[in-house]
Amino acid sequence: MEARSVDEIPRGKEWQYEPKWDGFRCLLSRDGNIVDLRSKSGEDLARYFPEIVSAALQLKADRFTLDGELVVPHSRGFSFDALLQRIHPAASRVKKLSLDTPALYLVFDLLAAARDMTLAEKPLSERRPALEAFAKANLKGSPFRLSPTTTSYATAKKWLAQSGGGSDGIIAKRIDLPYQAGNRDGMQKIKKFRSADCVVGGFRYATNKIAGRNVVGSLLLGLYDAKGLLHHVGFTSAIKAEQKPALTDRLEALIGEPGFTGNAPGGPSRWSTERSAKWCPLKPKLVIEVCYDHFSGERFRHGTSILRWRPEKAPRQCTFEQLKQKAADPMKLLK
């Protein structure tokens, strides 16, 4: 069951709302002594989360299928970077991380249970009470947590406004539909997007030329830390083709070392698509406001979109401080 991205929270009696957790979506099933953890793409996740497999085997119920999210608690939120560290080939490393940074499994749907193996065929209005009864009978004292729900639009708006630190928006689900495996008809997601003013510390040329000349492909974004070092934090490639030649002229006039004085761009990483490691450093003169959804590990996790240039803003004003936000403690929402 997948979600369709929308801009506004849908309203109506047919909708139920939940926090949108910032983790790994995972179908978890148990059949006797066999536990299976499966990602949305079909990848086997069991070897990466042995503590969840062990906990599932300790539950009273021995035959069930759950839909939920794997997260790793950190401070007053969840750490996506700690979660990414689990996808490691060495079994010894996985075992150490499972002890040092144990995961939680946040449950939001019950698709099958020993008493009713056809729950997925029933509407959410029946599946949710079945899940709550299952949680009450089985999940207490385990690393499984029941994800909250509400039918209140006002509460959903509050959750969206307070998202961050582990929740990145709202999920809206149709309570009158069975589990919509493989389509987006029964679920919508609404993310909270934020903006940040960044220094353009460098750029990369595009793979394709325009009118026979090299043009900019992406801008490399930077923020200053408390010590005055400019760190590379992400990129934006949302540049209109007709604007690239003039922007390239503007950028080439500012080429100069070092560009970034702190963390500098490297080659391809888990945050980027495959591209050349070559980049051109710029003098810190240009400021741009970008829109982003996630910031973790001192980086924008995804590419950003351009909102506007900020010629009136001093580059030194573009600091990490602006990204600090008040967010609800996600652990207080869990049961």
Side-chain angles (χ1 to χ4, degrees):
M1 186 167 174
E2 299 188 46
R4 178 175 289 112
S5 293
V6 297
D7 296 328
E8 301 290 338
I9 302 174
R11 303 186 72 162
K13 294 181 179 180
E14 71 274 23
W15 293 102
Q16 169 184 289
Y17 310 108
E18 305 172 9
K20 182 183 180 301
W21 301 114
D22 185 20
F24 289 166
R25 181 79 175 277
C26 176
L27 286 176
L28 186 154
S29 61
R30 178 183 174 187
D31 188 357
N33 292 326
I34 299 174
V35 174
D36 184 78
L37 275 63
R38 197 66 50 175
S39 74
K40 195 161 59 173
S41 62
E43 180 184 0
D44 183 3
L45 296 176
R47 68 177 294 259
Y48 303 119
F49 297 92
E51 75 277 32
I52 298 298
V53 173
S54 177
L57 289 171
Q58 298 302 314
L59 299 182
K60 294 178 183 178
D62 64 359
R63 196 175 181 211
F64 56 85
T65 299
L66 300 169
D67 192 358
E69 197 96 0
L70 289 162
V71 299
V72 173
H74 176 71
S75 186
R76 294 182 67 252
F78 302 137
S79 171
F80 193 79
D81 288 319
L83 195 64
L84 285 174
Q85 293 299 316
R86 289 302 193 87
I87 310 303
H88 194 284
S92 59
R93 178 66 174 166
V94 169
K95 182 178 180 180
K96 183 179 187 303
L97 291 172
S98 71
L99 297 173
D100 294 344
T101 56
L104 295 177
Y105 185 71
L106 312 184
V107 187
F108 43 69
D109 212 339
L110 179 64
L111 309 185
R115 293 183 179 180
D116 190 347
M117 299 302 290
T118 63
L119 277 168
E121 301 171 11
K122 297 180 178 180
L124 182 59
S125 59
E126 295 183 33
R127 299 200 311 273
R128 180 67 191 193
L131 171 61
E132 292 177 354
F134 178 90
K136 185 176 182 180
N138 293 277
L139 303 187
K140 187 176 181 180
S142 76
F144 290 67
R145 298 289 188 275
L146 183 63
S147 184
T149 66
T150 184
T151 56
S152 165
Y153 177 79
T155 300
K157 284 184 65 177
K158 180 180 178 182
W159 284 351
L160 181 61
Q162 294 180 336
S163 59
S167 168
D168 63 355
I170 293 295
I171 290 290
K173 294 179 179 177
R174 288 277 297 272
I175 63 174
D176 56 336
L177 295 179
Y179 191 81
Q180 300 294 298
N183 70 58
R184 303 175 189 274
D185 294 338
M187 187 162 72
Q188 296 183 357
K189 59 184 177 182
I190 308 93
K191 287 188 175 184
K192 181 179 179 180
F193 287 90
R194 305 168 180 88
S195 70
D197 295 321
C198 297
V199 178
V200 182
F203 72 97
R204 286 190 173 102
Y205 284 106
T207 302
N208 299 322
K209 297 181 179 181
I210 293 180
R213 68 166 292 190
N214 290 321
V215 293
V216 60
S218 61
L219 304 176
L220 306 180
L221 308 174
L223 292 174
Y224 284 100
D225 66 11
K227 297 179 180 179
L229 297 177
L230 183 63
H231 295 273
H232 175 234
V233 295
F235 73 96
T236 183
S237 55
I239 308 167
K240 295 180 180 179
E242 63 270 20
Q243 297 176 350
K244 288 185 177 183
L247 179 56
T248 303
D249 291 338
R250 187 181 181 190
L251 296 172
E252 289 178 337
L254 294 174
I255 291 177
E257 298 285 351
F260 296 96
T261 53
N263 298 328
S269 73
R270 63 174 177 250
W271 289 278
S272 66
T273 56
E274 187 144 354
R275 58 167 62 92
S276 169
K278 295 181 180 179
W279 61 281
C280 298
L282 294 178
K283 298 173 184 176
K285 301 290 186 181
L286 301 176
V287 174
I288 193 169
E289 184 180 5
V290 297
C291 179
Y292 70 96
D293 57 353
H294 288 282
F295 188 85
S296 62
E298 297 192 339
R299 287 189 61 104
F300 298 120
R301 194 187 308 162
H302 308 124
T304 64
S305 58
I306 298 173
L307 293 178
R308 56 177 173 156
W309 292 91
R310 298 293 305 271
E312 82 288 359
K313 186 154 189 174
R316 287 282 178 173
Q317 292 179 292
C318 300
T319 67
F320 284 99
E321 187 70 23
Q322 67 182 302
L323 301 182
K324 292 183 178 180
Q325 57 173 315
K326 291 184 178 180
D329 184 349
M331 295 298 291
K332 292 182 179 179
L333 294 177
L334 302 173
K335 298 179 181 179

